[in-house]
Amino acid sequence: MDIKAYIESGVIESYVLGMADTQEAAELVRLSHQYPEIQAAIDAFERNLEEQALAAAVPPRADVKQALLKSLDFEKEEKARVVAFSGKRYAMAAAVILLIASTALNIYYYTQFRNTSDAYQALLVEKTSLIAKNDVMQARSNEMEKDMQIMNDTAVVKVYMKGVTGREGNLATVFWDSRTKDVYLMQNRLPAAPEGKQYQLWAIVDGKPVDAGMIDPVTGLAKMKNIPKASMFAITLEKKGGVEQPTMAEMYVAGKVG
């Protein structure tokens, strides 16, 4: 049994204040005999209430009793008034105890509520984060599925562009849809472009280079410009934003169609 959790559950406060039901009270009494920690917690709460009540009590001035005695004609009436006054003191003390207990319980339950609320908010944040990550992964999964469909389509022509002399380790692949003439590029092995530079795809049409689009560093297939016909594709490294004519000395890969 988790004694600490049981003590902090509020059942002891309810029992001492007479608010616990019969079952709760019987269980608490039984457990207090079995576990000294529970009995100690009961005693501590009772002492705390008594100390707070005594600390809040204000004793009457010494001249109050004398003034009362002088104003009475008979000893019987004087005794009756003393008893009534004492009863009021005890009633006020009891009211103070109940007020302090009520305040303590309110603070306790409010603290429990705040703790639960904070935990709930943390779970909401975690759930939102997981949903966002799931959406990203789902989007990537959809992109990969779309790329696979394009690459496995029998109507799509694959053009392997191997590294030119001195750059044999480079490789890129063009996927050219023979129906729509759309061009997709897979950057298999291309070094990162230097600062201020960007790769540019070229289609050789009737012996002349035609700009097929600038290449951004992305994973998967990148859609390039639509090319109606071409006999060859190549990639050069150019200034950022591209040029009208390729820099032949900066060619990295090239491959023939068919």
Side-chain angles (χ1 to χ4, degrees), residues 13 45 48-49 52 99-109:
E13 291 83 353
F45 185 67
N48 185 48
L49 286 181
Q52 293 184 23
L99 177 60
I100 293 173
S102 175
T103 302
L105 285 175
N106 286 339
I107 293 174
Y108 170 78
Y109 287 122

Side-chain angles (χ1 to χ4, degrees), residues 26 43 168 224 258:
D43 295 339
E168 290 82 358
M224 310 303 290

Side-chain angles (χ1 to χ4, degrees), residues 161 174 183 185 198-205 208-215 224 227 230 232-238 242-248 250-251 253-255:
M161 299 182 292
V174 162
V183 175
L185 177 68
Q198 189 175 8
Y199 288 110
Q200 188 168 357
L201 179 65
W202 302 92
I204 308 304
V205 181
K208 296 180 180 181
V210 175
D211 174 33
M214 304 306 298
I215 302 172
M224 310 303 290
I227 300 295
M232 184 176 181
F233 286 92
I235 293 177
T236 61
L237 183 63
E238 309 291 351
V243 294
E244 294 182 0
Q245 293 297 321
T247 304
M248 302 306 294
E250 293 295 329
M251 185 178 294
V253 294

Side-chain angles (χ1 to χ4, degrees), residues 113-138:
F113 168 77
R114 289 300 306 169
N115 292 339
T116 302
S117 178
D118 291 343
Y120 175 70
Q121 291 298 325
L123 287 175
L124 283 182
V125 171
E126 183 178 358
K127 178 182 177 182
T128 302
S129 177
L130 290 175
I131 291 175
K133 291 179 180 178
N134 182 68
D135 290 342
V136 171
M137 294 183 65
Q138 185 62 45

Side-chain angles (χ1 to χ4, degrees), residues 32 39 48 56-57 60 63 73 81 94 99 119 122 137 153-154 169 187 198 203-204 214 216 220 228 246 249 258:
S32 67
Q39 183 60 53
N48 185 48
D63 60 341
D73 295 330
R81 289 180 180 273
L99 177 60
M137 294 183 65
D153 193 335
T154 56
Q187 303 174 50
Q198 189 175 8
I204 308 304
M214 304 306 298
D216 293 319

Side-chain angles (χ1 to χ4, degrees), residues 23 83 124 170 191:
Q23 184 177 354
V83 171
L124 283 182
N170 299 323

